[in-house]
Amino acid sequence: QQRLNLEQPSEILMDEDDNWPYGIVCYNKNDKNLFVNSRVGFGVTVNFAHPVGKALDIFAVVMMLLLPFIGLFTVKEEFTEPTVVLTETALEAHHTELEYSVPLDEIYAVSYLTEMPEASKTWGTNFPHLYKGKFSIKDIGQSGLLCLDPYDDAFLLIRTTDGTNYLFGMEDSAELKSIYNTLKKLN
């Protein structure tokens, strides 16, 4: 760098080492641009002296610090077993919190399934042991809202008067069968 500077007229080449900590990060308080030309090669980089550049830097550090917690949340999401609860007024599907609440007076059909119907995610979660969200359910030819572990032994297919389908499951198939029998008596 020094030899290059000595060979060039001072008005053509300017040494900017002070503005490039570690040679790849631009921190130039005198440059008001957020994006500046990369020092080596082509393209642009962020000027971290710019207010938006500082905010991006803080955001990136915060996200890196949150990664272990995001991992723990993801593990909790996948390995918490969904449950189905029948209250006096609604059929509820719980996972880490209440996911769906279907008023009993809106249920017009309920089916007890011993095999998981083929389903593909429209939006939501499809971990190996958790399907939660909106799925296209091939066997019924419609979409539905799911909250279940696809490896469970039993599932409830709920159809409501407004045309919404729900597919719930839980590990305790005997309890799920009891809920099904109670719902059949109500309909």
Side-chain angles (χ1 to χ4, degrees):
Q1 182 71 36
Q2 185 179 12
R3 184 179 54 79
L4 182 62
N5 285 344
L6 291 174
E7 293 173 359
Q8 300 295 325
S10 62
E11 59 272 356
I12 294 177
L13 185 65
M14 179 173 62
D15 184 9
E16 294 184 329
D17 281 344
D18 292 342
N19 299 327
W20 290 87
Y22 308 110
I24 56 169
V25 177
C26 178
Y27 192 87
N28 186 350
K29 293 179 182 179
N30 297 324
D31 191 342
K32 300 301 178 199
N33 295 312
L34 173 60
F35 296 105
V36 295
N37 289 330
S38 295
R39 190 170 193 193
V40 178
F42 59 91
V44 294
T45 189
V46 174
N47 178 6
F48 288 105
H50 189 279
V52 175
K54 288 178 184 177
L56 288 172
D57 193 27
I58 291 168
F59 176 75
V61 169
V62 167
M63 291 308 295
M64 284 188 281
L65 293 173
L66 287 177
L67 281 175
F69 300 104
I70 293 170
L72 290 172
F73 172 77
T74 303
V75 168
K76 180 182 176 189
E77 275 287 300
E78 182 173 3
F79 294 108
T80 299
E81 184 67 31
T83 58
V84 179
V85 176
L86 183 60
T87 69
E88 290 183 17
T89 59
L91 178 67
E92 299 177 346
H94 296 261
H95 183 241
T96 53
E97 58 186 25
L98 175 64
E99 299 298 332
Y100 302 109
S101 181
V102 184
L104 295 179
D105 58 356
E106 291 183 14
I107 296 174
Y108 81 86
V110 60
S111 302
Y112 184 81
L113 308 175
T114 56
E115 290 185 20
M116 171 67 191
E118 187 176 330
S120 60
K121 178 180 73 167
T122 305
W123 60 261
T125 300
N126 65 332
F127 288 124
H129 286 276
L130 176 65
Y131 285 8
K132 184 169 68 171
K134 187 173 185 177
F135 284 69
S136 174
I137 307 169
K138 186 175 182 179
D139 294 347
I140 66 168
Q142 295 178 342
S143 64
L145 298 170
L146 275 62
C147 185
L148 53 87
D149 179 344
Y151 292 101
D152 286 339
D153 296 328
F155 309 94
L156 287 181
L157 176 60
I158 310 296
R159 296 173 189 254
T160 61
T161 54
D162 68 358
T164 305
N165 298 303
Y166 296 91
L167 188 60
F168 298 153
M170 60 191 250
E171 190 172 33
D172 187 350
S173 57
E175 176 67 21
L176 197 64
K177 182 74 170 185
S178 173
I179 292 171
Y180 166 74
N181 290 331
T182 304
L183 288 173
K184 285 302 280 184
K185 291 176 188 174
L186 295 174
N187 284 339

